Amino acid sequence: MPSALQLVGNTPLVELRTIRDGVAPGVRLLGKLEGFNPGGSVKDRPALRMIEDGLASGRLTPGKTILDSTSGNTGIALAMVGAALGYPVELVMPSNVSAERKQVIAAYGAKVVFSDPLEGSDGAIRLCRKILADNPEKYFKPDQYNNPANPLAHYETTGPEIWRQTEGAVTHFVAAIGTSGTIMGTGRYLKEQNPAVQVIAAEPDDAFHGLEGLKHMATSIVPGIYHEEELDQKIGIATDEAYTMVYRLGREEGLLLGQSSGAVLVAALQVARELDEGTIVLLFPDFGDRYLSTNLWRGWPQREA
Ligand SMILES: Cc1ncc(COP(=O)(O)O)c(C=O)c1O
């Protein structure tokens, strides 16, 4: 029987059969359901890989604490992996993150340090830097934005899984970008197998957006692991379009997913409508029950009325 960590990866593909919106019958839309990872998101893969890398390189040793400033899926994944390996985890986040987030992280035994909510995620980053600077020997900081082990996790697992699951038939890969680890590592692997595979990024179309986990690159601190020249296309998605697609996925496909999955599907349908045939793989980062108290669902019944 596998341990929790051995269940990371090998997520299933699901075929979208209803939401096709004028796409030719010869085009398949296959969603990779990363919510099936034990920590509930795609971030289990890089969290595990970065911690394994820390152990192998000697930067993470017994007695040290894993430290980072993230309240999102990476925080949950680090808390899960830390618990499974017996390493303490400390996560810095603004005190106004949702109650579920705080509870999930606490349930894995991680310590939560609160930063000023008025300073947002930048405040958490600054406080995290200070904690590290005050006590550098105590901590291991994975730094997902600049750590090559993040895209490597996808190069070694997500890419080969998609190649195998489609028996080499994949023609397009569509993913949303946050740190860009998913699209960089998976895209690189798939292009090595077949240089004709098109790698397409979905990103928020505006700096002020409601797509948690995603980055509008033109107005963000660009991650060190991001290489835009390796993408074939980047498609900007409006928050409302992504939310509407999330509601449709629940009702029309029986798939309750997070908002970044909605953004990925909007982008993939744009690409698909231009094709006569193809196999498009969409990366769905997590399930939707993680967001029930957020703006995505708050006010939803009124929206539908
Ligand atoms: C919900 C969600 N979708 C998409 C992403 C983007 O993944 P990546 O950081 O690999 O670009 C993230 C991660 O930040 C996420 O939490």
Side-chain angles (χ1 to χ4, degrees), residues 43 73 176-182 212-214 260 285-286 291:
K43 285 294 172 182
N73 282 330
I177 40 178
T179 66
S180 80
T182 306
E212 188 175 322
L214 305 191
S260 63
D286 55 10
Y291 302 99

Side-chain angles (χ1 to χ4, degrees), residues 50-51 60 64-70 74-75 78-79 87-93 110-113 124-144:
M50 290 189 294
I51 289 175
L60 175 59
K64 281 200 177 185
T65 294
I66 298 161
L67 172 75
D68 222 329
S69 58
T70 163
T74 303
L78 289 171
Y87 279 86
V89 176
E90 241 176 84
L91 298 168
V92 187
M93 62 192 72
K111 178 177 164 193
V112 180
V113 181
I125 291 170
R126 279 193 292 269
L127 180 57
C128 183
R129 281 190 193 141
K130 184 178 178 310
I131 292 169
L132 183 65
D134 287 349
N135 217 339
E137 293 309 311
K138 182 178 170 198
Y139 294 110
F140 166 70
K141 190 168 177 297
D143 190 10
Q144 58 170 345

Side-chain angles (χ1 to χ4, degrees), residues 2 27 29 32 35 58 65-66 107 109 129 136 147 149 169-170 176 201 242 248 298 301:
V27 180
L29 295 167
K32 193 152 173 67
T65 294
I66 298 161
R129 281 190 193 141
N147 190 334
V170 55
R248 289 189 60 195
R298 213 179 288 141

